[in-house]
Amino acid sequence: VQLQASGGGLVQAGGSLRLSCAASRTIFSFTTMGWYRQAPGKERAWVASITRDDITTYDDSVLGRFTISRNNAKNTPSLQMNSLKPEDTGTYYCTVDIMTTILGPPTRYWGQGTQVTVSS
């Protein structure tokens, strides 16, 4: 499956953006979906996850400002980002963990990133 994140852009501090993740096909047998981001000059970092049972978790830096959800039609993740800060700037990547074998661990698929730039 191929994933593509979209919805990024340039926004002022305090603004909002909604990121989406398109998939090349409907995803079945997934376990967890998530979002990561990579700020300039930094390692890629986890932002938020949602499980098949819709249990959500967030990095402390975005807790209360970001909301991850699942698009039920194709089972892809979305990320609503409110009260954006300059430190939220980076390339955002969606992920989906898919069970590709019965007994093995899930395989993580990464989407092409989308750039988010928050100006102060």
Side-chain angles (χ1 to χ4, degrees):
V1 62
Q2 295 180 331
L3 304 174
Q4 174 68 60
S6 64
L10 173 63
V11 65
Q12 288 188 331
S16 298
L17 285 173
R18 182 175 180 84
L19 304 184
S20 299
C21 183
S24 56
R25 61 169 175 82
T26 300
I27 298 172
F28 303 100
S29 302
F30 71 93
T31 58
T32 303
M33 304 180 185
W35 287 91
Y36 286 71
R37 67 186 177 189
Q38 186 165 18
K42 294 188 176 181
E43 297 284 322
R44 191 174 297 186
W46 170 75
V47 175
S49 293
I50 183 168
T51 69
R52 191 177 187 88
D53 298 324
D54 290 330
I55 296 172
T56 57
T57 51
Y58 299 90
D59 181 78
D60 286 347
S61 65
V62 306
L63 188 63
R65 301 187 298 121
F66 291 11
T67 302
I68 188 171
S69 59
R70 180 160 59 92
N71 177 324
N72 290 328
K74 280 202 167 184
N75 287 325
T76 54
S78 296
L79 187 69
Q80 177 66 40
M81 306 187 297
N82 298 327
S83 301
L84 282 161
K85 304 175 180 180
E87 51 263 44
D88 294 320
T89 293
T91 303
Y92 283 70
Y93 301 88
C94 55
T95 65
V96 180
D97 296 343
I98 299 174
M99 295 300 295
T100 54
T101 62
I102 295 176
L103 298 178
T107 298
R108 173 158 295 177
Y109 291 82
W110 290 82
Q112 297 292 321
T114 185
Q115 178 66 36
V116 171
T117 303
V118 184
S119 63
S120 58

